[in-house]
Amino acid sequence: NLGLRWEAQGFEDTNGDIAQTIDDQWAPRLGFVFQPGQLGTQRIYGSAGRFYQDMLLNGLVYFDGETWQIWEQCDGDPRLEGSNCEILSDWGASISEPVPGLEGQHFDELTLGYDRQIGSSLKLGARGVYRTLRRAIEDASVDEDGADWLLGNPGYGPLSEYPSANREYLALELTAEKTIGTGLMLVGSYVLSRTQGNYPGLFDADWWSVNPNTTGAFDFPDLMENADGLMPQDRRHSIKFSASYATRFGLSAGARFLWQSGSPLSIRGGSAHPPQYMYLAERGSMGETPNIWDLDLRLAYDFAHVARRSSPMRVVLDVFNVGNPREAVAYDQVATFTMTDEGDQTDINPNYLQPTRFQPPTMVRLGFELGF
């Protein structure tokens, strides 16, 4: 299969004019499947393609108005009387100028896999995936004091003084599916992967922040020092297992188990652009978080057995996070808060490498499903 996809994006301002266009998004695609031997017993498949991502509207400012964002640093709780606050920066709302040569954010992906049917009840598979980021769209300062900001492609055009955004994902996935009798189904997989680069993506996994295209990356050139390394979403090993069993009298049961190795930790400190923090050593080089596991269970009963005919009602009992592991999944990675004019790190953070997020607790959900 061969294909070529074209798409364009246009952003309209509050005056009704198109303030920015991205119209050169050409995405070629290639895919193949080859079945050697007896048809239906083996499959070799692969694909290669380019994929563009839509850009959300919170990055480009295309409306007129008053000041809409102020950054302040206070010596106490700003809600209490007597606290002194210093304005670090304030942003006014105005229609952004068109960014020349702006390219859409996109990545290329290559996959190659092999599946084999063994007998009538076992299927084994192996798949390799390589994904690389080609362009990102991010906000960045085009002057030293942060008075002038631009949304563009880091490393290109007006943002050529920045390093280009990069992220590479390489994975090997092994899968197995097994049926036993007429009611039991087992599915398992193991993934060995590596994710590295200098840009986590539209979701800022460094800060668990959802600010697509306006993350903390690329705000100032010096913040990108030591920023190339293992990504926070890198989990080298991942094992998944699920099982389901259906009885002849309407009761079915299922389980899902997940185990993952830890994710990389970094060390960050004060920068010349507070409240931003810089990497004090190579990203992802300060060890990793603990391994985590998760187990979910489900019981369901279909009333068709009781009614002895087709029934639209089913009762479901789910138990999430069995065992209540509550392992830490995120840590405070800021070691120092400020940097002196001489470049020395000061104001030590007493909570450095303390947990900030944990796995959710055990939860039970009872539900009824009614079809109509």
Side-chain angles (χ1 to χ4, degrees), residues 127-207:
R127 184 175 72 120
V129 179
Y130 174 71
R131 187 180 303 126
T132 180
L133 180 69
R134 296 300 186 187
R135 291 287 190 278
I137 297 179
E138 269 292 333
D139 65 329
S141 174
V142 293
D143 56 15
E144 183 62 27
D145 59 4
D148 192 10
W149 290 75
L150 179 70
L151 206 74
N153 303 122
Y156 301 90
L159 301 183
S160 57
E161 64 176 309
Y162 287 85
S164 59
N166 68 86
R167 184 179 66 254
E168 291 187 347
Y169 173 76
L170 183 64
L172 172 65
E173 179 182 355
L174 305 177
T175 60
E177 299 179 13
K178 173 70 174 178
T179 57
I180 300 177
T182 59
L184 181 60
M185 178 71 177
L186 305 175
V187 178
S189 69
Y190 166 72
V191 177
L192 173 66
S193 64
R194 183 181 182 90
T195 308
Q196 60 184 8
N198 63 7
Y199 182 59
L202 300 181
F203 170 71
D204 190 348
D206 281 322
W207 302 104

Side-chain angles (χ1 to χ4, degrees), residues 269-282:
S271 72
H273 310 284
Q276 307 281 46
Y277 298 102
M278 61 187 299
Y279 291 93
L280 304 182
E282 180 183 337

